[in-house]
Amino acid sequence: MIDRQKLLTGVLAALMVTIVAAGCGQQNKRVEKTPLVKTQQADSNTSAADGVYAGTVRGRYETNLSFQVGGQILSRNVQAGSQVHAGDVLMTIDARDVVQQSNQGDEQVVSARAQLKLAQSNLSRYTQLYQAEAVPASVLDQYQTSYDAAFAAYQIALTQAARGHNAMGYTQLTAGADGVISAVNAEAGQVVTAGQTVLTLVQTGELEVEINIPENRLADAVVGNPVKVSFWALKDSVDGVIREVAPMADSMARTYRVRVSVPEPPAGMQLGMTASVSLAQGDAGIQAGDMILPLAAIYQAGDTPQVWVVTDANTVELKSVSVEEFGDDKVLVHGLEAADLVVTAGVHKLRDGQQVRPEAVQ
């Protein structure tokens, strides 16, 4: 009985050793799995080398529309994307308060006219008395002053009444030009104040392309310079001209806004389309052998910056490069060939000759 228990114990121990050994083997296999690396082809910077920037088709004139008087919106006749023409009624507000103000102005005119008539009668009467030497000149001056004040009050009442009549025409918001409604900021039933933006109108008569360029390429964007504009949704590419360059960089993106006019827009060019603008490069442009990389791709153990390059055998090796200039989380390097496949992340975890899997080879 005892021998059988010893034999069973030995068998169990042997099985546990086998299981542990198998688990360790699997763990070693997982550890030794070929790492997957993020890469970038050296010739993928053709757009940067050519000075090509993505942009969006915008309207040159974008107008925020608002009522000149306040009130409750009764109707909204357009929605985002609606095509409108000059003179179209876009929104209306309740005109009852405006009508009451206009009526009040008319009543003030009647009152001021009566006061003026009375002052004129008094002035005429006391002028005759003064000529008959029945009253002194000081009394005549008082009535002359009263007449002048009544006349000024009458003129003010006329002005206020005219303003009230004009306000009755402000209860309808009309389009000032042909275009498309790009934004709606108020709805029927909402009470708005004078000057509050309720709609945005983009005039479609003149479209242009807006791009953003980094500060180290600002010299390439000169007002009046010709450019090439192509559209992702259209086959044609057309000529454009740089019309405007923002004087200050965006506070968040640190890029400069550039507006490109398109004198002869292609058929089908619409607001919001994606466009590509090719700028002419100056002497400081990217040259052959240059490549824009993320800063994380640079491996520098000594004084010479290097990058990891994937070989045909899917191993990595170091290649020396020269840094031309730094940008925002990017660096321009020189010394690479178009066929080089550069590792752009995790470079400090690699070793020379290590087998890797480029992200294109899963």
Side-chain angles (χ1 to χ4, degrees):
M1 185 69 179
I2 296 176
D3 293 338
R4 182 178 296 178
Q5 290 180 349
K6 289 183 179 180
L7 179 60
L8 181 61
T9 302
V11 171
L12 290 176
L15 287 174
M16 291 185 65
V17 171
T18 303
I19 293 173
V20 172
C24 292
Q26 292 178 357
Q27 184 177 3
N28 291 336
K29 289 181 180 178
R30 287 195 299 268
V31 172
E32 294 174 358
K33 185 178 179 180
T34 303
L36 179 68
V37 293
K38 185 176 182 181
T39 59
Q40 178 179 328
Q41 194 73 35
D43 61 357
S44 63
N45 285 329
T46 54
S47 63
D50 295 336
V52 179
Y53 300 91
T56 307
V57 177
R58 306 285 296 271
R60 178 172 181 177
Y61 302 102
E62 299 182 5
T63 307
N64 293 326
L65 303 179
S66 60
F67 288 99
Q68 292 182 249
V69 293
Q72 185 182 39
I73 298 176
L74 294 180
S75 64
R76 174 170 66 86
N77 305 326
V78 293
Q79 58 187 356
S82 296
Q83 295 282 343
V84 299
H85 302 282
D88 288 351
V89 178
L90 310 179
M91 277 187 179
T92 59
I93 61 173
D94 192 347
R96 287 179 295 180
D97 290 341
V98 178
V99 171
Q100 291 298 328
Q101 292 176 359
S102 178
N103 294 337
Q104 182 180 2
D106 292 339
E107 294 171 356
Q108 290 176 348
V109 170
V110 174
S111 176
R113 185 184 295 114
Q115 294 295 328
L116 177 62
K117 186 176 181 180
L118 176 62
Q120 186 176 12
S121 298
N122 290 335
L123 177 61
S124 178
R125 185 181 304 110
Y126 276 89
T127 299
Q128 294 176 0
L129 292 175
Y130 174 74
Q131 291 175 352
E133 299 182 352
V135 293
S138 59
V139 175
L140 180 62
D141 291 342
Q142 291 177 2
Y143 283 96
Q144 180 65 50
T145 302
S146 297
Y147 172 79
D148 293 340
F151 181 80
Y154 177 66
Q155 295 297 323
I156 292 174
L158 288 176
T159 302
Q160 291 178 346
R163 185 181 301 171
H165 294 160
N166 292 339
M168 293 180 63
Y170 299 151
T171 58
Q172 290 186 334
L173 183 63
T174 59
D178 295 348
V180 61
I181 301 299
S182 63
V184 177
N185 305 106
E187 297 294 338
Q190 182 176 343
V191 177
V192 296
T193 59
Q196 178 181 342
T197 299
V198 293
L199 297 171
T200 301
L201 173 65
V202 179
Q203 298 184 28
T204 54
E206 187 172 356
L207 300 179
E208 57 187 20
V209 177
E210 179 179 298
I211 62 174
N212 293 278
I213 64 174
E215 57 188 33
N216 61 339
R217 292 288 174 256
L218 186 59
D220 298 332
V222 179
V223 175
N225 276 8
V227 297
K228 278 290 184 182
V229 183
S230 59
F231 301 89
W232 182 80
L234 305 176
K235 296 180 180 180
D236 300 332
S237 103
V238 295
D239 295 327
V241 179
I242 296 179
R243 182 185 65 82
E244 178 184 274
V245 179
M248 295 181 62
D250 182 83
S251 59
M252 298 296 293
R254 306 309 305 167
T255 56
Y256 287 80
R257 179 177 58 84
V258 177
R259 286 290 186 114
V260 177
S261 62
V262 184
E264 298 181 2
M269 178 178 173
Q270 299 291 332
L271 286 170
M273 277 188 172
T274 302
S276 296
V277 178
S278 178
L279 303 182
Q281 292 284 306
D283 295 337
I286 299 177
Q287 306 298 325
D290 288 357
M291 181 179 183
I292 297 177
L293 294 172
L295 286 175
I298 302 299
Y299 179 86
Q300 187 166 356
D303 297 333
T304 303
Q306 297 174 307
V307 295
W308 289 104
V309 177
V310 181
T311 67
D312 294 337
N314 285 339
T315 60
V316 290
E317 61 181 14
L318 286 172
K319 187 170 186 177
S320 298
V321 294
S322 60
V323 176
E324 301 297 326
E325 56 183 80
F326 288 91
D328 188 10
D329 293 331
K330 294 184 180 298
V331 61
L332 177 65
V333 301
H334 182 76
L336 294 172
E337 299 178 0
D340 288 339
L341 189 63
V342 181
V343 179
T344 58
V347 295
H348 292 286
K349 298 180 180 180
L350 302 176
R351 63 181 185 275
D352 193 22
Q354 182 179 0
Q355 193 80 21
V356 296
R357 288 185 301 143
E359 54 186 354
V361 183
Q362 299 295 330

